Amino acid sequence: MNILDFLRGRETFETRALDASTFNLGLDDEGKTASGKSVDAGTAVQASTVYACVSLIADSVATMPVHSFRKTGDFREKTTAPAWMNATDSMPNPETDRFTWIHRTISSLALYGNSYWLIVERDNLGFPKQIYNLHPEYVSIDRNDKGEAIYTYDGKKSYKRYTALTPDGDIVHIKNFEQGSDYGLSPIEAGAEAIGISLASDEFAGRFFSNGAVLSGVIEMDSTPSEESLRIFKQSFNRKHQGTKKSHNIGILTEGATWKPIAINHQQMQFLESRKFNKIEICGLFRVSPYLIGDLSETTKLGSSIEEQNRIFYELTLLPYINRIEQAMTMMLPRGQFARIDVSGLLRASISQRYQAYNLGRNAGFLSVNEIRAKEDLPPLDSEIGDSYLQNLNQVSLEQEE
């Protein structure tokens, strides 16, 4: 039984004492952080580092082509993609192209930890034909008496989950980080404190520059003016010098007043260093190297070339998102078919290295053309050509020489 249901006096079929969703890694419902900032998907994306990481991941995956295949023996045969997958002649729905559809899916996973697809139309065989993205904030999940997940959108209409075992459902639910509950966990929730510090730092930095005349120095006077005189002097000085546009104007002081500048202190220097560290920490939440979002202050130690760095970005950052989407798409295809996102554009150098390895295996005589084509998801050639092996003329065994 879920402890929240117990407190509300609701009994469910579940017999576990506690549900992992109760803890949510120690975060409360309001998302309050020690910095005083409330952190959720809407506020977190205002942090430049969060926006840069999410847009980088979503843009990278959304630009990749998607294909469908059918497995035939050891080979994979390319099939005609369904309407919702076809970016050339069709769209997932009348209002959304495939790029936007996948982009919204990735953004929802990165910001909310969950992505929902609603199937609104099916073809004559019952397979999905039109699919819409649902905003995660408007989707809630409950359990009925049978223990089945019931998805309610905007508190109005309810749907069952679509899976390979329940094809009569209408909601495809993709989770980011599995935490043992009905909902996935997002990097925003897991790193709320770090993002809260980033938001607080941005606000402090903005106030620091908007009040540039306050911390840069002090004005000393020989006499002791009245409060009214000080008020007028302060208003006049701020009007001429406060703000970034007036920060370097020439100042004129009268009546024995002198300006004494204040150099940046250690606390301010520490603040700048903390902002740099905070950016790296947020990048770590999304597993994005800082140099990919424009931070070139430190060189990366991952990969010695752009091609190698792209491969690491694909394997460590993009691949989990790609696999989740591929599995969700495969569920909506006929039995025996599967979806694949084409990452060859990102891994051109890896393709060159792979082809060199194929060439080595082919010339050494332990790979045939069809074996190579099977690894590349290409249809086989005629057996006379495709199943033959090469052997160098100068490589003859001792038994044949005798």
Side-chain angles (χ1 to χ4, degrees):
M1 177 184 295
N2 189 306
I3 192 171
L4 295 181
D5 293 331
F6 175 77
L7 294 175
R8 293 168 183 158
R10 256 188 354 220
E11 292 187 0
T12 65
F13 77 100
E14 200 167 349
T15 58
R16 291 183 297 173
L18 297 176
D19 191 295
S21 61
T22 304
F23 299 95
N24 203 20
L25 295 190
L27 301 178
D28 56 22
D29 293 335
E30 296 181 356
K32 273 287 186 179
T33 62
S35 64
K37 291 292 184 180
S38 295
V39 176
D40 55 27
T43 57
V45 78
Q46 297 175 15
S48 59
T49 306
V50 173
Y51 174 84
C53 290
V54 174
S55 61
L56 173 67
I57 297 172
D59 289 342
S60 299
V61 178
T63 54
M64 297 177 181
V66 184
H67 306 291
S68 61
F69 297 89
R70 178 187 295 109
K71 190 170 181 62
T72 305
D74 295 333
F75 298 94
R76 299 172 180 178
E77 178 184 358
K78 194 172 182 179
T79 63
T80 302
W84 51 267
M85 188 186 293
N86 190 341
T88 304
D89 304 321
S90 188
M91 302 165 64
N93 61 72
E95 301 178 1
T96 310
D97 56 59
R98 197 196 64 190
F99 176 92
T100 305
W101 178 54
I102 296 182
H103 194 281
R104 288 176 178 174
T105 300
I106 299 296
S107 299
S108 296
L109 288 174
L111 293 174
Y112 296 90
N114 301 274
S115 183
Y116 304 96
W117 296 343
L118 175 61
I119 302 170
V120 299
E121 185 180 350
R122 300 171 186 262
D123 59 20
N124 297 331
L125 298 177
F127 294 104
K129 185 176 181 180
Q130 282 193 22
I131 308 169
Y132 283 82
N133 298 100
L134 296 183
H135 199 293
E137 283 189 352
Y138 302 136
V139 179
S140 60
I141 307 175
D142 294 304
R143 294 278 175 174
N144 61 15
D145 296 336
K146 298 179 180 179
E148 299 172 329
I150 303 299
Y151 295 77
T152 304
Y153 179 68
D154 201 18
K156 299 175 182 178
K157 193 169 183 180
S158 299
Y159 306 92
K160 291 178 59 178
R161 183 174 183 178
Y162 180 99
T163 66
L165 300 178
T166 56
D168 58 328
D170 298 309
I171 291 284
V172 177
H173 183 190
I174 310 173
K175 299 180 185 180
N176 189 343
F177 183 91
E178 177 59 60
Q179 56 174 346
S181 72
D182 290 331
Y183 298 93
L185 182 71
S186 72
I188 304 300
E189 294 176 284
E193 291 294 342
I195 297 171
I197 293 174
S198 177
L199 293 172
S201 300
D202 289 343
E203 181 178 352
F204 178 82
R207 295 182 184 276
F208 178 87
F209 287 108
S210 66
N211 299 308
V214 177
L215 298 178
S216 58
V218 295
I219 298 175
E220 291 185 353
M221 294 184 176
D222 295 336
S223 60
T224 304
S226 64
E227 292 186 5
E228 181 65 18
S229 299
L230 286 175
R231 185 183 64 81
I232 296 175
F233 182 84
K234 180 180 178 180
Q235 290 179 350
S236 175
F237 191 84
N238 284 342
R239 186 171 59 252
K240 294 180 180 179
H241 300 283
Q242 191 176 46
T244 55
K245 294 183 179 179
K246 304 175 184 178
S247 58
H248 297 289
N249 285 351
I250 298 175
I252 300 176
L253 302 176
T254 59
E255 300 180 1
T258 58
W259 170 263
K260 290 190 175 182
I262 299 177
I264 185 170
N265 56 37
H266 294 292
Q267 290 182 344
Q268 293 168 342
M269 294 177 64
Q270 189 176 14
F271 166 71
L272 297 177
E273 287 296 324
S274 67
R275 294 199 71 190
K276 178 180 177 182
F277 172 77
N278 188 248
K279 174 181 286 189
I280 297 175
E281 190 175 15
I282 295 177
C283 285
L285 289 173
F286 293 95
R287 295 194 288 186
V288 172
S289 297
Y291 79 93
L292 289 172
I293 60 171
D295 185 0
L296 303 179
S297 58
E298 295 184 6
T299 57
T300 178
K301 298 179 177 61
L302 297 176
S304 57
S305 63
I306 295 297
E307 293 80 6
E308 186 69 14
Q309 291 168 8
N310 283 343
R311 183 187 64 81
I312 295 173
F313 173 57
Y314 160 71
E315 292 180 353
L316 299 184
T317 307
L318 300 183
L319 187 57
Y321 289 96
I322 290 175
N323 282 346
R324 290 183 179 101
I325 295 179
E326 287 178 343
Q327 291 180 12
M329 290 180 172
T330 299
M331 286 194 305
M332 299 188 292
L333 295 175
R335 185 181 296 273
Q337 296 187 22
F338 58 93
R340 283 292 180 268
I341 295 178
D342 187 359
V343 299
S344 59
L346 180 67
L347 302 177
R348 287 195 179 98
S350 297
I351 291 177
S352 176
Q353 295 173 3
R354 195 163 68 247
Y355 284 1
Q356 291 177 6
Y358 291 155
N359 185 60
L360 178 63
R362 175 66 172 154
N363 291 332
F366 62 83
L367 282 179
S368 67
V369 174
N370 281 341
E371 289 173 338
I372 296 174
R373 294 178 68 86
K375 296 178 182 295
E376 293 297 317
D377 294 332
L378 297 174
L381 299 178
D382 181 79
S383 59
E384 183 177 352
I385 300 176
D387 295 333
S388 62
Y389 293 87
L390 299 180
Q391 184 178 8
N392 294 331
L393 295 178
N394 59 347
Q395 293 180 345
V396 181
S397 65
L398 294 176
E399 296 178 354
Q400 290 179 336
E401 288 184 353
E402 293 176 358

